[in-house]
Every structure is written in structure tokens, then in C-alpha cells.
Amino acid sequence: QKEVEQDPGPLSVPEGAIVSLNCTYSNSAFQYFMWYRQYSRKGPELLMYTYSSGNKEDGRFTAQVDKSSKYISLFIRDSQPSDSATYLCAMSTTGSGHGNQFYFGTGTSLTVIP
Amino acid sequence: DAGVTQSPTHLIKTRGQHVTLRCSPISGHKSVSWYQQVLGQGPQFIFQYYEKEERGRGNFPDRFSARQFPNYSSELNVNALLLGDSALYLCASSFFPTGDQPQHFGDGTRLSIL
């Protein structure tokens, strides 16, 4: 079983739709949760960074963490064609200064149709 | 401010050769991590360095090695290249090598093995 599971899609929505992207995880030691956006032939770009359960909002993006269910979500409101990209969830433990790797999902490919 | 920069952007090698990839972190960031991203997958952790010391190593063979220099830049070396080493190699930087530090990625080096 992978530590982080993410539905690869692809997901196709009309412009203006609300998009829901999800990841589940198995390691209860994960404390920090991130969402990255990756355009074709580019590196991942940090979108959201959260710690602990609850919601965090930034513009059209809302990140949600439910540690009891080991489930995280990213919601995109009023989706735009420029949101078309692959979305990666990532998570990490607290780290002890001895190094801390990020564990990534496989990524969900999103296309927003004008 | 400049983001994480990686060179070269694209490289073509043949089986058995070796390769050196380079990374310059964001100014002020002291930790550098390397990831391998195979097409259609999320990034997989290879190494993390902090203050020139290895702080973490992923499940990669000894053909993979890295180092960090006093100016915090880093090199990833891969020896005896295999076809399966074809991937996007990503460098990420953060202030410290702990889970509470979000990692910022460069656009990667695309390595093709013939």
C-alpha cells in the first residue's frame, strides 16, 4: 500500500465549476500537508500549506485536512482554463532535523474547458 | 528574487554513462532535496542535504550520489545510467530540513537515456 493515494483522473470540468481534489494517506505521523500545481514541463509550484485538521482558504483555493479520516482535499472555486494542470498532494512528518522527505501522491490531471 | 534554478534543462545520455545535475537554491535556503519524477507519477525522494551533510536518503541504488557546497548549491550524480533512469529530476529548497518548512521546486532537468 502506498503511503499517499491520489486519483490520477483525468478530471475535466467546465469553466466556473467547483473542483474537488482528494488524497488519502496511511501514515498517522504526517503532520504537514501541501498542494502543488504542476504545469506541463514545469516544476511543482506550491499552492497551499497546512498544518493540523481544519480548513485554510487562499483566494479561490481551500485546503481541507481531516486527520481522523486521513483525508485531505483541495477545492477550487470558479475554475478557470488557466487552472488546467496536474495537482499533487504532498505530506511530511514533523522531522527531527535529521532530514525530512515529502511524500507525494501520483497527481490528478485537471482540464478546465472554456 | 530568483527561484530554484537547475541546469541543464534537458540532457540525453546513453546507457552506462554518468551524469551530473546541478541546483542552486533560493537565496537564504540552506536545505536542498532531490526528487525523481517518472512520467505520470509523483516525485520520489532521493536525497536531502543541509549544511553540506546528508540528512536523508530515499530508496535509490548507490549509483545515485549527491553533495552540497558551501554556497548551498548542490549536485546530483548518477553513474552507470539505465533506461529506467529516464525521468524529470527535481531539486527543491527550504530554509531547514524539517517538515514544517515547505519545499520550493525548480523546473527540473529532463534526463533521457537512449
Side-chain angles (χ1 to χ4, degrees):
Chain A
Q1 181 187 6
K2 287 185 178 180
E3 298 212 55
V4 181
E5 299 279 356
Q6 183 176 9
D7 186 342
L11 187 61
S12 183
V13 301
E15 183 175 354
I18 296 175
V19 177
S20 173
L21 305 167
N22 311 294
C23 287
T24 59
Y25 62 95
S26 57
N27 188 347
S28 58
F30 288 143
Q31 298 293 326
Y32 299 92
F33 305 90
M34 287 130 293
W35 286 94
Y36 287 85
R37 177 175 63 195
Q38 186 173 25
Y39 291 115
S40 180
R41 299 192 173 276
K42 291 289 189 178
E45 170 194 4
L46 182 66
L47 277 179
M48 300 289 283
Y49 166 71
T50 58
Y51 168 70
S52 76
S53 289
N55 292 353
K56 180 177 180 179
E57 186 174 322
D58 184 0
R60 297 185 295 112
F61 299 92
T62 299
Q64 191 173 79
V65 174
D66 182 349
K67 285 188 174 179
S68 62
S69 301
K70 296 188 177 67
Y71 188 89
I72 69 171
S73 299
L74 177 70
F75 298 96
I76 307 174
R77 292 183 299 280
D78 187 26
S79 56
Q80 302 295 310
S82 59
D83 295 328
S84 298
T86 296
Y87 290 80
L88 295 155
C89 63
M91 41 200 82
S92 66
T93 64
T94 55
S96 62
H98 294 289
N100 184 72
Q101 63 173 291
F102 280 24
Y103 295 83
F104 283 83
T106 55
T108 299
S109 176
L110 171 68
T111 299
V112 180
I113 302 169
Chain B
D1 284 344
V4 176
T5 57
Q6 293 186 243
S7 64
T9 56
H10 192 189
L11 206 50
I12 300 173
K13 292 285 188 179
T14 57
R15 284 179 296 173
Q17 287 189 311
H18 70 271
V19 67
T20 298
L21 310 180
R22 295 178 174 82
C23 171
S24 292
I26 292 171
S27 178
H29 285 191
K30 298 182 178 181
S31 179
V32 169
S33 298
W34 287 94
Y35 290 82
Q36 180 195 65
Q37 186 176 26
V38 175
L39 192 63
Q41 299 294 318
Q44 295 292 313
F45 175 74
I46 309 175
F47 286 110
Q48 185 175 60
Y49 275 78
Y50 175 68
E51 296 283 10
K52 298 184 293 180
E53 290 188 1
E54 182 183 303
R55 291 301 187 96
R57 172 186 285 256
N59 188 24
F60 280 80
D62 291 343
R63 299 185 295 108
F64 289 77
S65 64
R67 56 179 176 167
Q68 186 178 33
F69 299 100
N71 66 353
Y72 304 112
S73 67
S74 178
E75 283 183 353
L76 175 70
N77 295 283
V78 187
N79 293 324
L81 288 166
L82 303 173
L83 291 177
D85 295 331
S86 294
L88 180 67
Y89 288 85
L90 294 162
C91 174
S93 75
S94 59
F95 284 107
F96 303 110
T98 53
D100 62 339
Q101 298 290 311
Q103 296 183 0
H104 300 269
F105 286 82
D107 284 336
T109 293
R110 190 166 299 277
L111 177 63
S112 301
I113 311 301
L114 302 180

